[in-house]
Amino acid sequence: KVYKEISLNYVDEINPEEFMRAGIRGMLNTLDPYTIFIDENKKDEIDLITSGKYGGVGISIGVRGDEVTVVEVLDGYSAQKQGVRIGDILIVAGGTEISADNVDDISNYVKGEPGTEVELKVIRNDSRDTLTFNLIREEVLIKNITYYGFYPPESNNVYMKLSNFSRSAGDEVKKALKDLKSQKEIKSIVLD
């Protein structure tokens, strides 16, 4: 009813899509910080959240100061195979200059259909060497458990690092515990 009244009677023309999205954001702001709205344009983010898979090159980025920096390189994927390193400063992705201002859009330039190519340019070292990587996107599977084992090794104490929480997290925990239990008795578990 509010939407209808405003769209019919407001003095200026209203963009219906922006108006509805602002309403959605306003409603969600009254809830906890974990309740978010992901629109249809972010299908790859929904796939990542639900299945732990996406089409990409196997890196995670973060903003350090005013520079967009590679903070993680996943083993076995295109970025690692080609030599991208943690600490590389990302300056161009898919032909678009990258800065802290457009960091939220970077996934649009790097992620894509597996088998397609994306060019990344990075600055490395204090000498500010510029390197160019032509990477092939692959289906990247994010592991929920990044480490598990007995710690200290001679003890019966399990340490398990749960880094993500997609739908397959429960199965990964179960599999890890079965693997560890086959090695020796488990007396305690630290789930980080």
Side-chain angles (χ1 to χ4, degrees):
K1 188 173 179 179
V2 171
Y3 174 79
K4 181 180 174 185
E5 286 296 319
I6 290 174
S7 62
L8 291 174
N9 298 315
Y10 190 68
V11 67
D12 290 327
E13 193 171 323
I14 293 174
N15 178 325
E17 183 177 351
E18 286 179 20
F19 190 58
M20 289 299 277
R21 289 181 190 280
I24 291 168
R25 282 192 301 274
M27 285 187 290
L28 295 181
N29 281 339
T30 65
L31 304 174
D32 63 71
Y34 308 107
T35 304
I36 60 170
F37 173 68
I38 302 174
D39 70 18
E40 65 278 359
N41 298 329
K42 306 273 185 175
K43 181 190 174 300
D44 57 337
E45 289 184 30
I46 294 169
D47 291 344
L48 177 59
I49 290 168
T50 57
S51 69
K53 298 177 188 174
Y54 69 93
V57 296
I59 61 170
S60 296
I61 53 102
V63 178
R64 302 292 180 262
D66 59 350
E67 298 174 324
V68 178
T69 306
V70 176
V71 295
E72 183 180 17
V73 179
L74 300 176
D75 286 338
Y77 294 101
S78 186
Q80 187 253 343
K81 291 176 198 170
Q82 295 273 340
V84 175
R85 296 183 193 163
I86 293 173
D88 286 349
I89 298 164
L90 189 59
I91 55 172
V92 175
T96 302
E97 288 190 28
I98 301 302
S99 69
D101 297 331
N102 65 354
V103 70
D104 293 335
D105 300 323
I106 290 176
S107 66
N108 296 334
Y109 310 131
V110 178
K111 291 179 182 174
E113 199 62 37
T116 59
E117 187 175 299
V118 62
E119 181 184 84
L120 298 184
K121 288 187 182 180
V122 301
I123 295 175
R124 181 175 293 165
N125 302 328
D126 293 332
S127 59
R128 310 299 274 180
D129 297 330
T130 301
L131 303 171
T132 301
F133 296 95
N134 291 307
L135 305 173
I136 304 296
R137 294 178 180 104
E138 303 171 63
E139 183 175 271
V140 177
L141 176 61
I142 300 295
K143 292 181 182 176
N144 295 293
I145 297 179
T146 53
Y147 174 83
Y148 68 90
F150 288 99
Y151 188 82
E154 65 279 352
S155 75
N156 295 81
N157 306 314
V158 169
Y159 173 77
M160 188 177 298
K161 175 78 172 164
L162 183 65
S163 298
N164 296 295
F165 201 78
S166 70
R167 287 187 180 164
S168 61
D171 290 336
E172 285 184 46
V173 169
K174 185 177 180 180
K175 184 177 179 235
L177 289 173
K178 278 185 175 180
D179 180 36
L180 292 168
K181 195 172 182 181
S182 72
Q183 296 173 33
K184 60 181 164 180
E185 182 185 7
I186 297 172
K187 292 197 175 175
S188 66
I189 301 171
V190 175
L191 186 60
D192 184 359

